[in-house]
Amino acid sequence: MSRLRLKHPKAGRVLRHLSLAWRSLVEKTFVKSANAVAKLDLSQELWAKPLKMTLFTWLSTMSPQNLLRLKAIAVMELLDEGEAMRSYLQRCLEDRHHLVYSRHLQMVELHVHLLYPNLWNSLSEEVRLFLEEIREAANASREDSHSDDDDLPATELVRQFDRQRFNSELHQEVSRMLSSMGLQHRNKLSAGPMVLDIHLAEMCIVEAAPAWQYYLRSSHLTALARRRQEMLQAMGFQVIVIPHFEWFQLESPDAQREFLRQRLPKEAPQEVVLSLLDRGPAQQGGGTQRRQRAPRRDVRRDVPELPPVDESIWKPMPVSEEELKAAMVVDEHSSVASVADAVWAGGAALFVHRWAQLAAVRKALNAAADAEEVGAVLPVQRFRWTMVDPVTGGVLGKARAEHPAGTEPVERFRVRRKRLRACARRLYVRVASNGRLGVDGGPRLGYVPVLYANHPFDLAFRANDVAALNVAWQFFVNGLDYSFLSRPLHPFFGVYFTLSPTEHFRLVDDWLKCWTPPSHSRVLDLGTGCGVISFMLRQHFSREEVSIVASDRCPNACFSVSAELWRQARSDESSGDLGIQVKHSELFEELEEEGPFDLIIFNPPWVPRALDHDAAENDVVFGNDYPPKLFEKLFEEVPKVLQPSGHLLVLFSNYALCRKLVEVSPMELGTRRWERGGRSSAAPGGGAEAKPFSTDTGGTGPLSGAGAAALAWRVLLWVVLIGLLLEAGYRAYDIRLWAIKDYGPIIHEFDPWFNYRATEYLAQHGWNKFFTWFDHQSWYPLGRPVATTIYPGMQITAVFLWQILQRWDSSWDLNQVCCYMPAWFGAATSFFTGLLTFDALGRDAGPMPSGAAVLGAAAAARCMAIVPAHLSRSVGGGFDNEAVAIGPMVATFAFWCRALRPGLSWVSYSFMAASWGGYIFALNMVGLHAGLLVFLGSAGNLYAATRTATGIGGLTASKRDFKKGCEPAAITFSSRGGQGFEVPMISWTPLRSLEQLGPLVLFVALQLHQVFRRLPLQRVKSWSFGAQVGAMAALALAILWPSGFFSPLSVRVSALFVKHTKTGNPLVDSVAEHQPGSADAYWNYLGGLCFTAPVGFLIVLLRVLLRPWRADADWFMLALGAVSYFFARKMKRLIIFMALPASTLTGCAVTFLADVALASAEFRLGRSEHRRGAWLDQPVPRLLRLAAVMGMCYLLKPQVEEFLHFCDHKARWSLSHPQIVTKAKDGTLIDDYRQAYGWLRQNTASDARIMAWWDYGYQIAGLANRTTLADGNTWNHEHIALLGLALSSPQGEAHKIARHLADYVLVWSGGGGKDDVGKSKHMARIANSVYRGHCNEDDCDQYGIFPDGKPSKMMEASLVYRLCGRGSLDERLFREVYVSASTSDPDPADPVVLDVSASSRRWAASAEAKRCDAYCPGSYSRGLQELFDPNATHQEALDYQAAYATRVQEQLKEKPLPNQEGLPPGSYLDSCRGCLISGTRLTCSHCRAPGSPSIASNLEYQKCPLPQINNIQGRLQCEPKPNAASIPRGGYQRSCKGCDMQGHLDVVVTVRPAAVTAVAAARSRGASPRFHRSPAELDNDNGRLTCRGVPNDLACPPGPYLKSCHWEHVRGQGCRSEAGHVSCALCRRADGRQVAAEAAAGRCRWPAQLENQDGELVCSGSLAGPYKQSCSKCSLAWTDPSGECAKSDGQRLVSSYEVSRCQSPAELHNREGKLTCQGVPNGRRLPPGPYLESCEGCHVFKETLHCSHCLNAEGLQLKSSLEADCC
């Protein structure tokens, strides 16, 4: 929390819990904790006293290292007593030799001197002299001793302000505004150990307080910032503070000036303040006082030995005397600005005074270059990449972010670098022969005595040469320590080397581990540089195995490697000569006699040489760019020196290609040259078979491409694939719009309303306020910190899309965007599903991927587009987290498996983590897959492919498998991913959560494994990696677990691994979505995929186990399917996870069919089995295969069509209902919910408080805009328990609670188990979990409704039961003010609370109730708290407690007694209590029944055939005897007992509805075995035996009756059709019985259909048309539709019409109460006449005019005809 500056409200509670544990902490941990407590400003807390005492006690024994770790703020805050401060200063005096950083001690001295003068005077003289010595040393060290690279920007992220002149961006803006106001001032003025921001007058300063001086999302200063201001005020300064949150809210410069005028003193300072340094023209405005630093003391190191230096070594040329005479002399009186101007104009300068002057001039030159390029002095944002001089190691320049990513910024960068280099070459410094500079404060050049030993007189060098000599000497002395080498290297001056990146070296290291060299191999390290690859080769292979030649065109590189070999031979004489031969050669010019080589490794430069390269400058300085024609020459000459079976290994990067420095990679051009002419070149031994292999660290891959046909085929595959995936995406989008088409753009359900409300807040108030939003309108009176309790990715995305669409079309509003977003992301999800499937199916198809993979990917995408499991969370209007996050999750999986780009995987995972808590599932799936690959032996390149995204808790990768022969794979290593930490809901959870521990441990183990692999110990290398992972994980857990570092599993996650009813949290158990999954759920949400997914799973498993190659993506799909199935079984809500594996595995099954039909035997069987299966590729077998597959497709076509119809029907009629608006059977909208919320918005005060169950909180706040007590966030269990206590308590007790919290109570009534009465048992259980005694048992068994519909005593007295209209309401306490006028079920009701507590309302609105810290949460009123305070004295509290205690005592009397001993055995003992034996009767007072309170039951137990008694739905029943062996087969045997063939079946039926198992007794005599003929069989239908599977006559007309007269879509239930008469032997009635039914089907013509209405076949239906608007009671009778139609005068007439006469496109209309058919088309060439106005369906046939619909006077339509020649 201290690192985040997060002052959490619970920090004080943590401090209290640690009060007795301080002494048990490790000393280092204790010091860190003390620093954190001080930084969080908790030192004044009561519970900080134990910490202060412990710190004071430990001062005398604390180690010097931990004493130094004690921050100044901790000393000032915690050692605030005189004796404690004196002891601390005395300890510092004793350990003065350990002080390396004295600023903390300076702050303490200033603090004591200013604020505690008496303590200062009482200090001993020795202590004060010690502090004075520390202070003087610190002042002396402020002298600026800029090293040669001080003027170069750091490689870290460049700030958006000038760090040399200002402390923060706010400081910069305030300073410029003061300059524009004409107020001169100083910036960064030193005041002791502190640096003042702005100094105006003598004792007036301005402090710009940026965000890091305040606690996170708070306006409170941090403890350090507060102490700083206190000390400044104690110095006598007038401190003017400019807070960042006030400054950045000012929208215009005029407002900022007015703000400063109000804050500044009335009399503006008149004095002119000059900077200590001269300012140039570019420094107008606020000056800068530079803090000077003394030269850093050199660390004594042993200088490596060098052999005699060869004269051929390149070295910088000294400045000639003529140049020195022409240069201007820069002494202590010279102006930096004037010198810089002269040098910029072309002059030269010789520095003779201080090194700091040269550094200042170089900074001024950089500023001049910036001003010339950008045209302004304002700082610009720069790219995060830099270019480093290979000799100096310094940054040469930057590329600017404003420029497009083309060649222009690079060329401008080169021009700027060249201009600055030319200026630096005109800055001269004299150097003595011993390397000392002729100026004060400069570094010593150790190379000068080595390189210029023959020059006894002093020399003069240019500034860039001095920098090069200095940096090169530092690297030579310190050495380069590569982890993959056993000892460091010491590169000589002028040698190119890289410290980072080193991934290409690691790639070579991994490749060499797999390479088996031929006997007596020769290896060439071409362009050896400092010899990294040569020494790596020698570590892998002995001299007898491999002889090494290291060559380079640079003489300095050759000397460097020779010197390294010389030093190693002298230091380790036992090893002798390493056998590395060093040759100075220009490419292969001097190496033909040394060849041919078995392996050539070339690590060339990655950047092309500039066209304007100055040849006068030695090429060694530009060692990181390659000359033209280098690669053409390389591939032309390499066959001359390479063995026929040799390898050419080239390490190259696509950096230049990405920066558009080149249009085509030079490696590609070189490869073309190789293929065209390189093979024909004469070479010793022939080089025709040698093939180049390039490794591109940027991800370009191998350069040896396939032919034109292969390229065309791949392009065609991708075009077809993208087209099919886009089509699937459109289908996904279209099917999700049913809700919008039917209901309009309406936000659905409950949670989406909060998401929409949060999105509105973000759009209206902006980013900053959104992340500091504390919602006082919810969870009254506590409030809710929104930023730390939601995943904001969805809201940010919605606002982003809305702003873009607004620019395109201003008619788009935020509500529409939120409603359409699920459909958009659903389309994207199906697209990425196809990519994932294609990668898994196509990557192991060999070099030529098959078209079957395209078909499989398209099938998977289409399934994902329409499968209800995904539709359930992504229909239009379902603005929920899953709707947005499932797409990024699938994209994460796709990019993880495919490894297109490492950044894409990171971006998609970051977006998902910011949008949904399900990111933990994706994280663990990736971790599980990576761990699976580790144990399967794929860990070799898993590390190379894996990177950490620990900030969001994940592993992402760019991986390419090692294939046969251990060929090298390209490495792309990135360390991004920390943005997940910026999501407040996530923060640092991934590092401490047990749910995310596995991937973190795996990642750390991978890193340690690589360390072990690179250790020279053979014992470590031989360890099994699986054992390493296990040992490391056990060690980490053993260390961190006892400290409480890891947080426990959340309740929702732990519920997945325990029985549902045993989660321990009734709030979690109350949510329907948390119920375990069932078989019905799989059928409802997956449909036909339940059949195809297991087939695909088996296919993938067999392919992985039996194929000669294995794809990592196959293992991922297997793991994804298994894990998703496990979680879906545990929780119904998680069945959404099954959509992806079910779709992808279905795609695998489709691919298998296509492979069988189309693929060759080589592809299906593998190359090793191709010979045995070659006969399958003959024409006849191939035709047979194709015919078999086509026949199977034909047979499966009905199932596919049925699945498509099932998904469309499910999407429209089941998943697309907003729930807040519903439709009646006649199509009319039922809008009770929105009407009730509208009534609240229009008829209640704006600050009205609404009490309702937490389900409705989101909608009340979003639609009614009123304050709610709780909502679906459920973050506060205790508060929900209080709400549940109020609703489930008797009216009197409930009113005493409600009057302190609410003005209105909103309930939903109507019965059916869906209203609040049906939910009220959960209310009582949750209340009882906090307020013990509310129920006499933990599960509140006595609260509920009995099976006969009567309430229990506790429920009947509850407030919610009476508010729902099921009991009388006390009008003195509550008054009903609104009831829905609709007859919908359920209906909303709004009773008003009477006698509301005004004091509680005032308390909640007062500032006293807000405990402001990082946020301002509210608190309960005193009146409410006293209700539960046993020491309360208020009469209301006493009355409530007395009533509560009386009720508890009464309920305890009703608690069941324990069971009597000696009871007969049976399952009833687990669910019945109060059981005893009275004579021959077993009596139990409380037997549990599902959905009901316990009821009493008794049984004559001695009459039971078996000594076993069961509790069947609250009734004691005997265990039936086993089924007889002679009974017929059927599914009833699984749920029926006691069955016997005795003319009828006596059965006991077990019914299993939903998640509750109940047992019911039934006797069925209506199921005769005479119907039991194959293929029919008997089954149990809710306690009744029915016959299923009796075939229907194929001539039976279609109709809905077939759904209830049969149980399968293919086979019917014994229906026959003869002469237009349909008879069914078994039609199901409502009570489950099966009866015979018959009807005259010939009289039931289209569009009417036969229906089964309670066992009777009835002809019914409706016909479309406008008549429905004015006709009612319409029905489709056996012949014609009939109904009552209204006339214009309001009279209603009974009318009917013959359906067969009104065919499409005609429609039925109401014409003055008569049904008429209008729109019947006429024929052509009709004679004119008025008849056309009243006749339709007219045509001329054989000179006769016929009209089928002519109106008569009564409004009837008759047929009429007339011979045309009569007129």
Side-chain angles (χ1 to χ4, degrees), residues 759 762 767 791-805 814 817-818 821 824-825 879 884-885 888 911-912 914-915:
T759 306
L762 175 62
W767 180 281
Y791 296 92
M794 179 173 57
Q795 286 80 9
I796 296 172
T797 305
V799 174
F800 174 74
L801 294 176
W802 171 64
Q803 292 176 347
I804 291 179
L805 292 173
L814 193 59
V817 173
C818 295
M821 267 185 63
W824 295 337
F825 276 85
F879 188 56
V884 175
F911 179 69
M912 180 190 58
S915 302

Side-chain angles (χ1 to χ4, degrees), residues 671-857:
T671 306
R672 294 174 185 172
R673 173 72 176 179
W674 172 278
E675 294 176 349
R676 287 197 309 267
R679 302 190 180 197
S680 61
S681 301
E689 297 300 327
K691 295 183 180 181
F693 184 88
S694 71
T695 300
D696 188 341
T697 59
T700 58
L703 297 177
S704 56
L711 179 62
W713 172 250
R714 294 190 183 205
V715 171
L716 177 62
L717 281 182
W718 275 104
V719 170
V720 173
L721 174 65
I722 297 300
L724 292 175
L725 295 187
L726 290 177
E727 190 274 340
Y730 172 76
R731 297 297 179 185
Y733 170 76
D734 184 66
I735 198 173
R736 284 161 173 78
L737 296 185
W738 278 121
I740 297 178
K741 294 176 182 177
D742 291 345
Y743 298 95
I746 300 175
I747 303 295
H748 292 197
E749 297 178 343
F750 302 106
D751 290 10
W753 275 103
F754 168 76
N755 297 327
Y756 176 68
R757 179 167 170 255
T759 306
E760 275 190 323
Y761 189 93
L762 175 62
Q764 294 173 6
H765 298 88
W767 180 281
N768 292 328
K769 288 190 176 181
F770 178 76
F771 279 102
T772 57
W773 179 24
F774 192 91
D775 187 11
H776 287 285
Q777 199 171 357
S778 61
W779 291 90
Y780 177 87
L782 306 177
R784 171 188 174 184
V786 177
T788 58
T789 55
I790 68 167
Y791 296 92
M794 179 173 57
Q795 286 80 9
I796 296 172
T797 305
V799 174
F800 174 74
L801 294 176
W802 171 64
Q803 292 176 347
I804 291 179
L805 292 173
Q806 278 278 307
R807 297 181 180 180
W808 174 54
D809 185 359
S810 60
S811 64
W812 279 91
D813 58 24
L814 193 59
N815 178 75
Q816 288 178 309
V817 173
C818 295
C819 289
Y820 279 92
M821 267 185 63
W824 295 337
F825 276 85
T829 303
S830 63
F831 184 87
F832 285 114
T833 301
L835 287 183
L836 173 62
T837 310
F838 180 72
D839 176 65
L841 299 175
R843 73 181 312 170
D844 71 345
M848 189 70 66
S850 67
V854 175
L855 297 178

Side-chain angles (χ1 to χ4, degrees), residues 1219-1235:
Q1219 292 191 5
I1220 195 170
V1221 178
T1222 58
K1223 277 187 177 181
K1225 293 183 179 180
D1226 59 357
T1228 58
L1229 290 179
I1230 301 174
D1231 207 3
D1232 287 348
Y1233 282 83
R1234 292 197 297 180
Q1235 290 174 4

Side-chain angles (χ1 to χ4, degrees), residues 734-1031:
D734 184 66
I735 198 173
R736 284 161 173 78
L737 296 185
W738 278 121
I740 297 178
K741 294 176 182 177
D742 291 345
Y743 298 95
I746 300 175
I747 303 295
H748 292 197
E749 297 178 343
F750 302 106
D751 290 10
W753 275 103
F754 168 76
N755 297 327
Y756 176 68
R757 179 167 170 255
T759 306
E760 275 190 323
Y761 189 93
L762 175 62
Q764 294 173 6
H765 298 88
W767 180 281
N768 292 328
K769 288 190 176 181
F770 178 76
F771 279 102
T772 57
W773 179 24
F774 192 91
D775 187 11
H776 287 285
Q777 199 171 357
S778 61
W779 291 90
Y780 177 87
L782 306 177
R784 171 188 174 184
V786 177
T788 58
T789 55
I790 68 167
Y791 296 92
M794 179 173 57
Q795 286 80 9
I796 296 172
T797 305
V799 174
F800 174 74
L801 294 176
W802 171 64
Q803 292 176 347
I804 291 179
L805 292 173
Q806 278 278 307
R807 297 181 180 180
W808 174 54
D809 185 359
S810 60
S811 64
W812 279 91
D813 58 24
L814 193 59
N815 178 75
Q816 288 178 309
V817 173
C818 295
C819 289
Y820 279 92
M821 267 185 63
W824 295 337
F825 276 85
T829 303
S830 63
F831 184 87
F832 285 114
T833 301
L835 287 183
L836 173 62
T837 310
F838 180 72
D839 176 65
L841 299 175
R843 73 181 312 170
D844 71 345
M848 189 70 66
S850 67
V854 175
L855 297 178
R862 187 65 183 273
C863 291
M864 191 66 176
I866 62 175
V867 65
H870 186 216
L871 280 170
S872 63
R873 292 287 175 174
S874 58
V875 295
F879 188 56
D880 213 345
N881 298 80
E882 293 93 332
V884 175
I886 289 295
M889 183 185 73
V890 178
T892 301
F893 292 158
F895 291 132
W896 161 258
C897 293
R898 186 172 184 80
L900 290 174
R901 298 287 186 270
L904 292 176
S905 180
W906 163 74
V907 169
S908 58
Y909 184 84
S910 300
F911 179 69
M912 180 190 58
S915 302
W916 187 33
Y919 77 94
I920 298 176
F921 172 79
L923 163 66
N924 283 279
M925 271 309 309
V926 172
L928 175 64
H929 184 222
L932 187 62
L933 296 182
V934 166
F935 286 100
L936 291 174
S938 297
N941 73 319
L942 182 65
Y943 170 78
T946 308
R947 66 177 174 86
T948 181
T950 312
I952 46 181
L955 294 168
T956 53
S958 173
K959 58 188 179 65
R960 297 177 183 172
D961 296 340
F962 277 147
K963 303 298 181 185
K964 293 180 291 185
C966 289
E967 295 179 354
I971 298 175
T972 302
F973 192 89
S974 178
S975 59
R976 290 176 288 178
Q979 277 68 9
F981 285 128
E982 301 298 328
V983 181
M985 188 73 175
I986 298 176
S987 188
W988 298 94
T989 303
L991 301 181
R992 306 190 61 180
S993 172
L994 283 179
E995 301 154 11
Q996 306 172 54
L997 180 62
L1000 179 63
V1001 171
L1002 177 64
F1003 172 75
V1004 175
L1006 283 171
Q1007 314 308 311
L1008 296 179
H1009 172 62
Q1010 294 302 312
V1011 174
F1012 290 158
R1013 288 182 61 193
R1014 284 158 175 77
L1015 288 177
L1017 300 177
Q1018 184 65 26
R1019 177 178 61 85
V1020 177
K1021 288 186 176 181
S1022 63
W1023 283 6
S1024 168
F1025 183 40
Q1028 294 177 29
V1029 173

Side-chain angles (χ1 to χ4, degrees), residues 1395-1591:
D1395 192 21
V1396 175
S1397 174
S1399 60
S1400 295
R1401 175 186 280 275
R1402 288 194 301 270
W1403 165 264
S1406 65
E1408 184 181 0
K1410 306 293 189 300
R1411 300 188 300 270
C1412 290
D1413 198 341
Y1415 297 105
C1416 291
S1419 59
Y1420 295 117
S1421 64
R1422 295 186 180 90
L1424 181 60
Q1425 294 181 30
E1426 285 183 349
L1427 294 180
F1428 307 98
D1429 184 3
N1431 300 321
T1433 58
H1434 194 270
Q1435 187 59 41
E1436 181 188 27
L1438 296 176
D1439 294 343
Y1440 175 80
Q1441 294 174 11
Y1444 186 83
T1446 301
R1447 180 166 61 88
V1448 169
Q1449 292 300 321
E1450 292 178 355
Q1451 292 176 171
L1452 288 176
K1453 296 178 183 179
E1454 301 173 358
K1455 189 173 183 180
L1457 298 174
N1459 291 338
Q1460 187 185 47
E1461 295 183 359
L1463 297 176
S1467 62
Y1468 75 101
L1469 294 175
D1470 297 330
S1471 55
C1472 292
R1473 293 152 300 160
C1475 299
L1476 54 87
I1477 295 178
S1478 177
T1480 61
R1481 184 168 293 277
L1482 174 63
T1483 303
C1484 294
S1485 61
H1486 292 76
C1487 281
R1488 295 185 182 274
S1492 161
S1494 296
I1495 55 180
S1497 180
N1498 59 80
L1499 177 70
E1500 290 286 345
Y1501 71 96
Q1502 291 184 348
K1503 296 182 180 180
C1504 294
L1506 298 177
Q1508 185 80 12
I1509 300 175
N1510 298 325
N1511 174 18
I1512 309 298
Q1513 292 187 342
R1515 301 294 181 184
L1516 294 175
Q1517 292 190 9
C1518 299
E1519 174 73 12
K1521 62 181 180 180
N1523 293 336
S1526 60
I1527 62 175
R1529 65 179 178 87
Y1532 72 100
Q1533 295 184 11
R1534 294 188 296 269
S1535 55
C1536 297
K1537 296 181 180 180
C1539 302
D1540 194 4
M1541 285 293 296
Q1542 296 177 358
H1544 64 270
L1545 300 181
D1546 293 328
V1547 298
V1548 176
V1549 182
T1550 302
V1551 186
R1552 302 180 182 273
V1556 182
T1557 300
V1559 182
R1563 178 176 295 268
S1564 176
R1565 298 181 182 270
S1568 175
R1570 63 186 176 86
F1571 286 107
H1572 176 61
R1573 300 188 183 94
S1574 180
E1577 63 178 20
L1578 292 175
D1579 208 345
N1580 171 23
D1581 180 17
N1582 196 27
R1584 294 191 178 275
L1585 289 178
T1586 58
C1587 187
R1588 299 183 182 181
V1590 180

Side-chain angles (χ1 to χ4, degrees), residues 649-663:
L649 201 64
V650 183
L651 305 177
F652 199 71
S653 170
N654 64 345
Y655 173 83
L657 194 62
C658 294
R659 287 294 175 184
K660 297 186 179 180
L661 300 177
V662 293
E663 295 182 357

Side-chain angles (χ1 to χ4, degrees), residues 323-518:
E323 292 176 306
L324 291 176
K325 292 178 182 179
M328 62 182 296
V329 179
V330 181
D331 53 15
E332 66 272 16
H333 303 295
S334 301
S335 171
V336 173
S338 59
V339 174
D341 292 341
V343 174
W344 186 258
L350 174 64
F351 293 84
V352 298
H353 180 52
R354 295 193 61 81
W355 177 257
Q357 289 178 311
L358 188 147
V361 170
R362 294 193 71 177
K363 289 184 181 294
L365 292 173
N366 277 334
D370 290 341
E372 182 178 276
E373 183 178 355
V374 184
V377 189
L378 296 178
V380 295
Q381 183 180 3
R382 297 179 171 89
F383 276 129
R384 304 178 74 174
W385 61 273
T386 58
M387 282 194 174
V388 181
D389 189 305
V391 178
T392 65
V395 180
L396 299 179
K398 309 144 303 255
R400 306 193 181 283
E402 308 78 71
H403 298 314
T407 59
E408 182 185 0
V410 181
E411 294 302 327
R412 295 181 63 180
F413 158 74
R414 284 180 165 174
V415 172
R416 178 184 184 277
R417 182 183 67 174
K418 185 175 181 179
R419 184 78 179 272
L420 288 175
R421 182 178 288 275
C423 292
R425 292 179 62 83
R426 295 195 295 272
L427 304 178
Y428 310 142
V429 180
R430 291 191 179 275
V431 183
S433 58
N434 60 356
R436 295 288 182 183
L437 296 185
V439 294
D440 295 336
R444 180 179 177 273
L445 306 182
Y447 270 126
V448 170
V450 177
L451 298 176
Y452 304 93
N454 299 328
H455 292 267
F457 53 88
D458 293 348
L459 305 173
F461 288 98
R462 310 176 195 279
N464 48 2
D465 291 337
V466 172
L469 290 167
N470 176 44
V471 175
W473 180 255
Q474 299 298 328
F475 279 111
F476 174 71
V477 173
N478 298 326
L480 304 176
D481 192 3
Y482 292 105
S483 60
F484 43 81
L485 295 181
S486 58
R487 61 178 68 196
L489 301 180
H490 300 271
F492 190 69
F493 171 77
V495 178
Y496 177 76
F497 60 85
T498 58
L499 284 175
S500 177
T502 60
E503 283 75 18
H504 52 301
F505 291 141
R506 296 186 183 277
L507 176 60
V508 175
D509 189 43
D510 289 335
W511 191 87
L512 290 176
K513 293 176 183 177
C514 299
W515 182 54
T516 303

